[in-house]
Amino acid sequence: MLLIECPHCGPRDETEYQYGGEAHVAYPEDPSQLSDKEWAEYLFYRNNPKGLIAERWAHAVGCRRWFNVVRDTVTYEIKAVYRIGEPKPEIGGVK
Amino acid sequence: MADLLPEHPDFLWRNPDPKSSYDAVIVGGGGHGLATAYYLAKNHGMTNIAVLERGWLAGGNMARNTTIIRSNYLWDESAAMYEHSLKLWEILPEELEYDFLFSQRGVMNLAHTLGDVRESVRRVNANKLNGIDAEWISPEQVKELCPIINIGDDIRYPVMGATYQPRAGIAKHDHVAWAFARKCDEMGVDIIQNCEVNGFVMDGDRVVGVETSRGRINAGKVGLCGAGHSSVLAELAGFRLPIQSHPLQALVSELHEPVHPTVVMSNHVHVYVSQAHKGELVMGAGVDAYNGYGQRGAFHVIEDQMAAAVELFPIFARAHVLRTWGGIVDVTLDASPIVSKTPVDQMYVNCGWGTGGFKGTPGAGYAFAHTIANDEPHPLNEPFALERFETGVLIDEHGAAAVAH
């Protein structure tokens, strides 16, 4: 089980959290202008790196707030935790 | 002095060095890769082909699944694909001349809520319209088919009935791979293990070879059967797939006398159980939530599935978990596979089978081989093209297909 450090509450067990997939996927600025291919990208295509990924977690049974994590998808090691709105940390190769 | 060890039995396939060139190369020597090679050779006369495997043959998800075979999917496209696969399972032991213990002991999908019941009855009706054996059975009939199950009404999620597919069942997964491998080898297919693909050789938009840990291999066509690593392969080829890779765990108990005569799946309380021929109880559940390539997951997922199993089968409280393991499953957002051409000319992809790829092994191989040989999909896999994510014609089996995600 992962031990995830909520930026608001501190370290808690993985079972307190909900996973939210890839972070930093912005809603399209002008949805009416998107092509079908661009819509497909927005809806269905997410990075799936073998290595570092920037991803969202929600502290579902704690403060209920969303935040971001940089995690290694092979070792599962968490490299960084940061709040919504903060930039993606500059860690080598993070996607 | 102790007796000398007996001679090693005959090997089922050669271990050739890669040739410099093949008409087609299949990347991934699991069930799907081997089945694809088999049907390429058998149905399409392509025998100058190779299967490249990064590790050892069938050491990925083919070695890690819970071996359930069924075709009771809701939507027409899935029903056609999985039923075709099941029909191939029914003839393969004879065709491959290998008894891989395909046992049509039936599969039950339990319903525990009114919503489950409605969904299940709908699915049974849909299955019948597609010519698939399916019936809705009462809790008493569930008990008759599987006497160790608890159908009492005093548990958190009582059994309100089940869908039942009598032709469904299990098979011995390793032997399935070996059966395909032996036949492939007999037809001249080179099975090359310890050969990792780490790049593709392109001529404009067309793939003309693969770069591997054992050197460059030219290829007229390339089929990707990389399962959990499909995104990694696609990235090497310069395109993306709508896939997320997740850990999926399974486990076995120690050996027991035969107590469980069928296969029981429960989407709602999230466990599926059968008893292997040699006696282990084999169980699996849902994926770990996060993306992962680690071939392992968290113990709380195992705990949840054990809680569900013990409530449904009180007799299991005395069993022990002997071994747990994880695989990497490639999940699409509509929980249906991708068997398709790709943006790269002469490159094809078979992936996205997620948590249910084992049952699809022969069907996937059959349809994918057709796609590779003819450079166009078989009617079976036409709906499973990459384009569906752009056209919106999804095959939404999430929650619809009795799939325990």
Side-chain angles (χ1 to χ4, degrees):
Chain A
M1 184 182 303
L2 302 179
L3 182 65
I4 302 171
E5 181 150 349
C6 171
H8 311 285
C9 310
R12 303 290 180 87
D13 283 344
E14 177 191 336
T15 45
E16 291 196 11
Y17 297 91
Q18 187 183 339
Y19 189 59
E22 184 185 352
H24 307 291
V25 179
Y27 188 75
E29 277 191 22
D30 191 355
S32 66
Q33 293 303 306
L34 292 191
S35 66
D36 288 350
K37 188 172 165 37
E38 287 165 332
W39 259 122
E41 285 280 328
Y42 172 66
L43 288 174
F44 300 117
Y45 285 74
R46 292 292 180 271
N47 286 335
N48 187 26
K50 186 178 185 180
L52 298 183
I53 186 173
E55 62 191 14
R56 301 179 302 170
W57 289 85
H59 194 185
V61 298
C63 64
R64 300 174 64 189
R65 280 190 275 190
W66 287 92
F67 58 95
N68 294 329
V69 168
V70 174
R71 187 177 56 90
D72 188 314
T73 61
V74 180
T75 65
Y76 302 165
E77 188 187 349
I78 292 173
K79 303 285 191 183
V81 172
Y82 55 106
R83 296 174 189 227
I84 292 290
E86 291 178 359
K88 194 190 293 186
E90 304 240 340
I91 305 175
V94 63
K95 289 192 175 161
Chain B
M1 194 178 129
D3 290 342
L4 291 172
L5 289 170
E7 290 292 308
H8 193 288
D10 290 342
F11 287 95
L12 296 180
W13 57 88
R14 301 160 291 132
N15 273 301
D17 288 325
K19 291 194 276 189
S20 61
S21 174
Y22 292 96
D23 294 339
V25 159
I26 305 302
V27 183
H32 284 220
L34 292 166
T36 302
Y38 171 72
Y39 287 111
L40 272 174
K42 174 175 173 282
N43 291 356
H44 306 282
M46 292 182 69
T47 53
N48 180 33
I49 64 175
V51 178
L52 309 183
E53 168 53 46
R54 178 172 78 107
W56 63 93
L57 186 129
N61 293 345
M62 193 62 175
R64 297 159 195 271
N65 65 82
T66 50
T67 81
I68 298 170
I69 295 165
R70 61 188 177 89
S71 65
N72 55 347
Y73 280 65
L74 177 67
W75 300 111
D76 293 350
E77 298 86 348
S78 318
M81 174 64 96
Y82 289 104
E83 177 62 13
H84 185 76
S85 197
L86 178 51
K87 286 187 172 135
L88 292 173
W89 281 112
E90 287 173 328
I91 59 171
L92 275 173
E94 195 173 331
E95 190 174 304
L96 299 176
E97 299 174 280
Y98 197 131
D99 177 12
F100 50 71
L101 302 178
F102 176 48
S103 163
Q104 292 178 289
R105 58 183 62 190
V107 168
M108 274 188 246
N109 294 94
L110 303 180
H112 301 279
T113 67
L114 189 56
D116 273 359
V117 172
R118 288 174 177 155
E119 177 274 324
S120 301
V121 172
R122 177 191 183 202
R123 185 162 44 77
V124 164
N125 289 333
N127 288 162
K128 284 181 172 166
L129 288 170
N130 276 317
I132 293 169
D133 58 321
E135 49 191 298
W136 168 254
I137 58 177
S138 68
E140 292 70 32
Q141 289 170 297
V142 168
K143 183 84 178 171
E144 210 168 295
L145 284 163
C146 185
I148 58 171
I149 201 164
N150 178 10
I151 56 165
D153 61 3
D154 57 346
I155 58 176
R156 176 65 184 85
Y157 292 106
V159 175
M160 296 174 72
T163 68
Y164 184 56
Q165 183 179 23
R167 284 165 61 241
I170 57 174
K172 188 83 180 68
H173 50 108
D174 293 329
H175 289 259
V176 173
W178 301 340
F180 274 121
R182 183 178 67 171
K183 273 292 174 208
C184 283
D185 186 80
E186 279 176 19
M187 291 189 286
V189 176
D190 281 359
I191 295 167
I192 301 163
Q193 304 177 74
N194 301 308
C195 182
E196 180 168 9
V197 169
N198 42 42
F200 295 98
V201 186
M202 308 291 291
D203 179 6
D205 290 338
R206 178 179 179 147
V207 65
V208 293
V210 293
E211 298 284 2
T212 79
S213 54
R214 297 178 68 174
R216 175 173 168 169
I217 302 171
N218 295 322
K221 292 163 175 284
V222 174
L224 307 180
C225 289
H229 279 78
S230 293
S231 298
V232 178
L233 288 172
E235 191 177 346
L236 289 173
F239 64 95
R240 297 177 87 200
L241 290 170
I243 293 278
Q244 298 282 283
S245 296
H246 289 273
L248 176 63
Q249 302 181 82
L251 62 94
V252 290
S253 72
E254 71 275 57
L255 307 185
H256 292 288
E257 291 291 318
V259 291
H260 185 12
T262 180
V263 181
V264 173
M265 305 179 67
S266 167
N267 200 355
H268 197 87
V269 301
H270 232 165
V271 70
Y272 37 91
V273 190
S274 66
Q275 188 169 18
H277 291 85
K278 64 182 176 191
E280 311 109 309
L281 300 166
V282 184
M283 298 183 218
V287 299
D288 280 59
Y290 47 76
N291 290 28
Y293 285 84
Q295 291 190 321
R296 65 187 185 284
F299 196 71
H300 66 86
V301 177
I302 300 278
E303 278 184 308
D304 281 353
Q305 85 190 54
M306 287 302 89
V310 171
E311 183 160 85
L312 281 176
F313 303 95
I315 192 177
F316 292 176
R318 293 283 176 180
H320 301 92
V321 173
L322 187 71
R323 196 169 73 249
T324 77
W325 64 90
I328 314 167
V329 296
D330 40 336
V331 179
T332 58
L333 280 159
D334 63 354
S336 286
I338 297 165
V339 186
S340 179
K341 296 175 72 163
T342 72
V344 178
D345 189 19
Q346 304 304 314
M347 182 181 282
Y348 311 88
V349 65
N350 169 60
C351 68
W353 289 84
T355 60
F358 178 72
K359 71 175 83 68
T361 300
Y366 183 95
F368 194 42
H370 179 102
T371 308
I372 294 171
N374 297 293
D375 192 33
E376 63 179 19
H378 188 279
L380 278 174
N381 64 304
E382 205 166 5
F384 294 94
L386 268 174
E387 285 75 30
R388 74 175 186 270
F389 297 97
E390 289 178 29
T391 60
V393 188
L394 301 175
I395 306 160
D396 187 7
E397 291 290 355
H398 254 304
V403 184
H405 292 289

